[in-house]
Amino acid sequence: MRWNDLYIAGVGTYLPEQVETVDDAIAAGRYTEEKKAMNGYRELRVAAPGETGPVMAAKAGLEAVERSGLSPLDFGLTVHASLSHQGLDLWTPASYVQANTVGGTGPAFEVKQGCNGLMAAVDLAASYLSSHRDLPAALVTAGDAFHLPYFDRWASEEQNVNGDGAGALVLSNRSGFARIRSIHSHSDSTLEQMSRGFQPWTTGPFADGQTLQLSSGVEDFLQNADVDLDDMIARIGGGVRHSLKMALYEAEIELADARFFLHQQLAETIVTHGICGLLGVDRASTTYDWAKQYSMVGTADVALGLDHVLAERDPKPGDLIVLQSSGAGYVWTAAVIEILEVPSWV
């Protein structure tokens, strides 16, 4: 979708104070030297007791709203995205984020689309602002905390390592420091079972009391004789390329026109082959090496990267930035934004 009147007016982030390094995890027997060499992470942040995903998302959201210069009365929508357990069962974290940021009577929605949650939420919020022209702004947040015994940040996934934190964006149909020129989402539901595997259904969360092993679903899936591994890999790569191709086409630019390319903080091998190699992205245009100090922060990586670019990478009016993410399911979202002015808070 090409946009002519959709803007980013504010960006906010929140990262807990406690730092845990890869070497700390290795010394504790929770990680290995082999994985350190293969995956490339350095350290991450660990949320304190009570710093749940929504609590951190509200803090990031408040920063984004303050930076936007908009009044809480301008917000007609709040969308919250997450990966992890949000602190309580069967409650509404999006409403918590709304109540602790902009308040008001606009709807609050939750998006659960894996690692693509934040970008999926941006896409949905953009459409909402387009169809509700009397509502000037939307707040989009993402927040996650990964704790034992439910989730082991160092071992529940074979490659990706998960840090705690949150990010937020304020979207506006009136004005902002950057214009969103295009957003494109694409899915391939034939890959849905890749993460689920062939495990039996449960009647509630954490049913067996065992720490999640997300890689087991993939391993289970790949052991099925009907699975064509080459086809699966081709489909995943095709989804990444298609979402990017369409976002670039709708923004009327080439990849080489973009000064920055912001993506998820995936393992080194995935980034090397599945992003830079697959798409032809110049690693120097990303925030990947800088963000190794935070690892993969749930679904908030793109917001963290954008905040870093604004503060530390000297963006100029006219600079183009590509945002790209994906999530199991499989859904990919890519967007192109154009810097209109250096934000006042930088």
Side-chain angles (χ1 to χ4, degrees):
M1 177 73 181
R2 177 177 174 84
W3 297 100
N4 296 311
D5 52 2
L6 179 64
Y7 305 90
I8 300 177
V11 181
T13 63
Y14 177 81
L15 292 160
E17 292 184 3
Q18 181 181 342
V19 175
E20 189 168 281
T21 69
V22 170
D23 291 337
D24 292 335
I26 293 172
R30 297 179 64 187
Y31 208 57
T32 66
E33 291 286 354
E34 292 75 17
K35 288 185 176 180
K36 175 183 177 180
M38 178 178 69
N39 298 332
Y41 297 107
R42 293 199 303 267
E43 57 191 41
L44 48 75
R45 299 296 179 91
V46 177
E51 281 189 324
T52 65
V55 169
M56 294 187 289
K59 292 178 179 180
L62 282 173
E63 181 175 65
V65 171
E66 180 180 0
R67 287 174 166 181
S68 75
L70 296 171
S71 163
L73 297 176
D74 292 324
F75 288 81
L77 176 70
T78 301
V79 189
H80 175 64
S82 68
L83 275 171
S84 65
H85 175 63
Q86 293 291 283
L88 292 170
D89 292 325
L90 295 177
W91 74 299
T92 53
S95 294
Y96 172 91
V97 172
Q98 178 188 26
N100 287 276
T101 53
V102 297
T105 59
F109 298 141
E110 184 179 7
V111 171
K112 300 284 285 187
Q113 191 47 58
C115 301
N116 193 44
L118 178 67
M119 289 296 292
V122 168
D123 197 356
L124 294 171
S127 296
Y128 194 91
L129 288 178
S130 177
S131 62
H132 296 73
R133 299 300 304 172
D134 58 319
L135 303 176
L139 174 63
V140 179
T141 67
D144 286 293
F146 301 91
H147 294 296
L148 288 167
Y150 180 61
F151 195 99
D152 186 341
R153 65 179 75 250
W154 296 106
S156 283
E157 294 189 73
E158 183 64 24
Q159 292 182 288
N160 298 326
V161 167
N162 297 273
D164 302 340
L169 300 174
V170 170
L171 304 187
S172 172
N173 55 24
R174 306 292 170 81
S175 63
F177 70 86
R179 179 167 73 92
I180 298 179
R181 292 178 59 163
S182 69
I183 305 174
H184 189 88
S185 292
H186 172 72
S187 73
D188 185 344
S189 61
T190 65
L191 297 170
E192 177 274 323
Q193 197 169 5
M194 186 179 71
S195 297
R196 175 168 55 89
F198 296 90
Q199 303 172 69
W201 301 113
T202 63
T203 56
F206 206 28
D208 59 5
Q210 299 297 309
T211 300
L212 286 178
Q213 294 296 323
L214 299 183
S215 299
S216 64
V218 178
E219 294 169 359
D220 186 28
F221 178 73
L222 293 178
Q223 289 173 2
N224 188 282
D226 295 331
V227 172
D228 185 331
L229 179 59
D230 291 336
D231 178 67
M232 183 186 74
I233 294 174
R235 285 180 176 274
I236 293 173
V240 176
R241 287 194 300 267
H242 181 76
S243 61
L244 176 60
K245 176 183 176 181
M246 293 305 298
L248 295 174
Y249 172 77
E250 290 160 357
E252 298 182 337
I253 71 164
E254 301 292 334
L255 180 59
D257 297 328
R259 182 178 172 193
F260 301 105
F261 189 102
L262 307 182
H263 59 79
Q264 295 153 296
Q265 199 65 12
L266 302 164
E268 179 91 30
T269 50
I270 300 175
V271 170
T272 299
H273 302 291
I275 296 179
C276 294
L278 179 70
L279 303 176
V281 171
D282 180 0
R283 184 159 166 163
S285 71
T286 75
T287 59
Y288 181 66
D289 291 300
W290 163 82
K292 284 183 176 183
Q293 63 188 311
Y294 304 120
S295 298
M296 188 173 184
V297 185
T299 185
D301 288 338
V302 171
L304 295 172
L306 180 58
D307 191 54
H308 169 69
V309 164
L310 295 172
E312 304 291 341
R313 300 284 286 272
D314 193 28
K316 306 293 186 183
D319 281 350
L320 298 172
I321 305 175
V322 174
L323 316 177
Q324 198 277 332
S325 71
S326 62
Y330 239 87
V331 179
W332 301 266
T333 300
V336 175
I337 69 174
E338 177 186 357
I339 300 296
L340 302 178
E341 60 184 17
V342 178
S344 59
W345 69 81
V346 173

